[in-house]
Amino acid sequence: MTTAPQKQAAPRHDPHLAARLARSAAHTEEGAQLRTADVPAWLEERRRAHRFKVERIPFAGLDHWGFDPATGNLAHRTGRFFTVEGLSVRGAAGPVPQWQQPIINQPEIGLLALLAKEFDGVLHFLLQAKMEPGNPNLLQLSPTVQATRSNYTRAHRGAPVRHLGDVLGPDGTPGSGPGRRVLADVLQSEHGSWFHQKFNRNTLVETTHDVPDDPDFRWLTLGQLGRLLHHDNLVNMDTRTVLACAPVSHDHDQDRARHQDTDLLSWLTGERARHEAHATLVPLRDVTGWHRGEHAIDHQDGRHFSVVAVSVEAGSREVGGWTQPLLAPVGTGVTAFLARRIDGVPHLLVQAKAEGGLHGGIELAPTVQCTPANYAHLPEDARPPFLDTVLGADPARIRYQAVHSEEGGRFLDALSRYLVVDCPEDDETLTRAGQLPGYRWITPAQLTTLARHGHYLNVQARTLLACLTTGAVRW
């Protein structure tokens, strides 16, 4: 193992942060500790170094979890971590105006933090080889700290969260104290179809302190992460959402954006004002259209997802073993931005997407965000707009694609195919995009600006924005 040289970072006042991030993004092949090509082998070595095992079990096999006899909600006996409850949605736009479903209610705010440090004049970020029970390959690149409040306050009575003290200052605030400063810090939503109003604190903290080596952690550049985002199931969701918040610059003339910032915000405000759906938590036992068996809670038609239970062994985690519920989606999702140049400036087509679990109901999402199998029973005109354009795209027009798993701590094998697809100039898509009220063309720089604030970009849009931030997608 090569030990990274310890070198002082830039001063606290840094008007050139965007340039420093660009320099980090330009280093794609080698960092202070690892060559990019060697990262998969390092992950495999860490996988062999620990014992990992995940097994499906019946609900009766859950330890410290149970169904409340009054509500039917599935909860931990301490009242911590999360619960599985019911959600009732009515008045929604689209082909299905009302429905009920199970949903994860996790009101505490988790911490997702990437520690940054400069080596040989280049910013690096400290990534963890972290096991999550829902990941299809178990081990993926995680942020330096990825923990719920229950975890980092040690409600599980396990070991302390590693590097928590490097991210949080003496007062418990990210970046506080000498030798640390915050590069980005924002509350961001999680999956609005599966979580009820869930937020995490996404933060980038730069340090000048020496950081002890740990075999499960490695320093990587922004450009290395961009290359690794081309691998399936390698960079986890929590890393992707933090990377999306990095304040990078985009070398495009924003005066020639299709819609100026004020117009975009006014449009989104109008979409939210017109949103008339009402989503309400209800007891899980009262949810209709779902069946609870010994091993799973399933949709009556086998669509959407199931709620299941697993037993976990994880040698590198704060607790070596536990049981828990997981949400297991049915089918692979498709998540894509359509892209084009307008007056020579790159633009992406966003939609103002309503999801039952989002606080405020609507956030900006990729052009297409769905699981196609969930629409197979509906009429052709009920399919999501532009889905067929993405699925039928000429491979030559696919600027980016990879399969990424979603949050492995709560979802089991939740996979989506992420794409950025160039829109041909002679395609009728361009005309349709200008006619649909819930869609707008937006520049990467505008997306990056919005990602510095909460309640604007959903987690799927942030995954694709991370591909732009790191240079995985280039224009």
Side-chain angles (χ1 to χ4, degrees):
M1 181 185 72
T2 301
T3 300
Q6 301 294 319
K7 185 169 182 177
Q8 292 295 308
R12 173 173 291 274
H13 176 66
D14 184 4
H16 305 299
L17 176 57
R20 298 173 68 215
L21 290 168
R23 189 181 311 122
S24 181
H27 283 70
T28 60
E29 302 301 329
E30 190 168 355
Q33 287 185 311
L34 274 180
R35 294 188 309 128
T36 308
D38 295 335
V39 172
W42 169 66
L43 282 171
E44 181 56 35
E45 183 266 323
R46 298 322 299 160
R47 188 178 290 110
R48 293 194 305 267
H50 302 287
R51 176 176 173 78
F52 298 123
K53 187 178 181 181
V54 179
E55 291 184 325
R56 290 273 300 268
I57 59 174
F59 289 128
L62 286 169
D63 187 22
H64 304 314
W65 292 81
F67 291 98
D68 184 272
T71 63
N73 295 344
L74 182 54
H76 195 267
R77 72 179 185 185
T78 64
R80 304 292 295 273
F81 304 105
F82 64 94
T83 56
V84 181
E85 305 183 27
L87 186 76
S88 179
V89 180
R90 56 185 176 84
V96 183
Q98 59 186 30
W99 70 89
Q100 294 185 333
Q101 65 171 86
I103 198 161
I104 296 172
N105 186 13
Q106 186 174 330
E108 63 182 29
I109 294 174
L111 176 63
L112 308 178
L114 271 174
L115 192 65
K117 187 174 175 65
E118 196 171 276
F119 300 107
D120 294 331
V122 179
L123 272 178
H124 286 62
F125 302 88
L126 189 59
L127 279 297
Q128 178 182 180
K130 186 178 179 71
M131 180 271 192
E132 293 288 352
N135 289 340
N137 53 352
L138 295 183
L139 226 66
Q140 295 185 14
L141 290 177
S142 162
T144 317
V145 173
Q146 174 189 321
T148 65
R149 179 173 291 276
S150 292
N151 281 48
Y152 66 76
T153 58
R154 301 173 68 183
H156 48 41
R157 299 183 180 180
V161 173
R162 287 177 287 179
H163 292 296
L164 185 65
D166 294 311
V167 170
L168 302 182
D171 63 353
T173 302
S176 63
R180 302 183 185 90
R181 67 178 187 128
V182 170
L183 305 183
D185 194 13
V186 60
L187 289 180
Q188 297 285 14
S189 63
E190 286 209 36
H191 295 78
S193 294
W194 300 333
F195 276 115
H196 177 68
Q197 299 186 11
K198 173 72 170 67
F199 292 96
N200 281 322
R201 188 171 187 171
N202 289 233
T203 186
L204 287 158
V205 174
E206 185 176 3
T207 184
T208 61
H209 295 295
D210 290 346
V211 179
D213 284 341
D214 187 306
D216 289 323
F217 291 77
R218 288 292 182 271
W219 294 97
L220 299 171
T221 68
L222 207 57
Q224 287 184 289
L225 289 166
R227 289 296 176 92
L228 295 169
L229 278 165
H230 285 278
H231 293 250
D232 293 348
N233 298 315
L234 198 150
V235 179
N236 84 353
M237 185 213 78
D238 298 295
T239 298
R240 301 189 308 259
T241 181
V242 177
L243 289 172
C245 301
V248 301
S249 64
H250 298 271
D251 297 328
H252 308 301
D253 184 355
Q254 289 313 295
D255 290 336
R256 292 184 291 138
R258 178 68 173 268
H259 303 285
Q260 294 303 302
D261 293 353
T262 302
D263 296 332
L264 282 172
L265 293 175
S266 178
W267 162 72
L268 181 58
T269 299
E271 292 294 316
R272 287 171 167 169
R274 286 190 290 273
H275 181 63
E276 296 181 350
H278 298 277
T280 308
L281 287 175
V282 298
L284 185 58
R285 70 173 186 182
D286 294 340
V287 170
T288 60
W290 296 75
H291 169 72
R292 180 179 130 192
E294 293 183 4
H295 290 80
I297 301 172
D298 299 308
H299 187 263
Q300 62 186 6
D301 296 322
R303 291 192 291 271
H304 307 298
F305 60 85
S306 300
V307 179
V308 301
V310 296
S311 172
V312 183
E313 294 180 33
S316 62
R317 292 290 298 266
E318 294 83 12
V319 174
W322 68 91
T323 63
Q324 70 170 93
L326 288 173
L327 187 152
V330 176
T332 299
V334 174
T335 305
F337 271 130
L338 288 180
R340 64 171 295 205
R341 286 184 177 271
I342 301 176
D343 295 330
V345 177
H347 282 70
L348 302 164
L349 186 61
V350 299
Q351 62 166 312
K353 185 173 179 62
E355 296 180 90
L358 288 178
H359 178 79
I362 286 178
E363 291 185 357
L364 295 181
T367 318
V368 173
Q369 178 192 312
C370 71
T371 300
N374 290 336
Y375 294 84
H377 66 293
L378 296 175
E380 188 71 19
D381 59 3
R383 289 171 65 81
F386 310 111
L387 174 60
D388 294 330
T389 301
V390 169
L391 295 180
D394 184 336
R397 292 198 290 109
I398 297 177
R399 188 177 289 271
Y400 172 86
Q401 69 171 322
V403 175
H404 295 302
S405 54
E406 306 302 337
E407 214 280 283
R410 298 293 178 263
F411 311 135
L412 179 63
D413 294 337
L415 303 177
S416 289
R417 182 183 172 213
Y418 282 87
L419 306 101
V420 177
V421 179
D422 283 333
C423 188
E425 294 297 327
D426 59 350
D427 195 278
E428 65 176 6
T429 302
L430 295 179
T431 302
R432 291 177 62 208
Q435 295 173 342
L436 291 176
Y439 292 78
R440 284 292 186 276
W441 291 104
I442 186 170
T443 67
Q446 289 173 317
L447 280 178
T448 296
T449 298
L450 291 173
R452 302 297 304 275
H453 309 275
H455 304 287
Y456 283 115
L457 302 187
N458 75 1
V459 69
Q460 290 89 344
R462 295 198 305 275
T463 279
L464 287 171
L465 178 57
C467 296
L468 297 169
T469 298
T470 59
V473 179
R474 295 187 181 275
W475 297 92

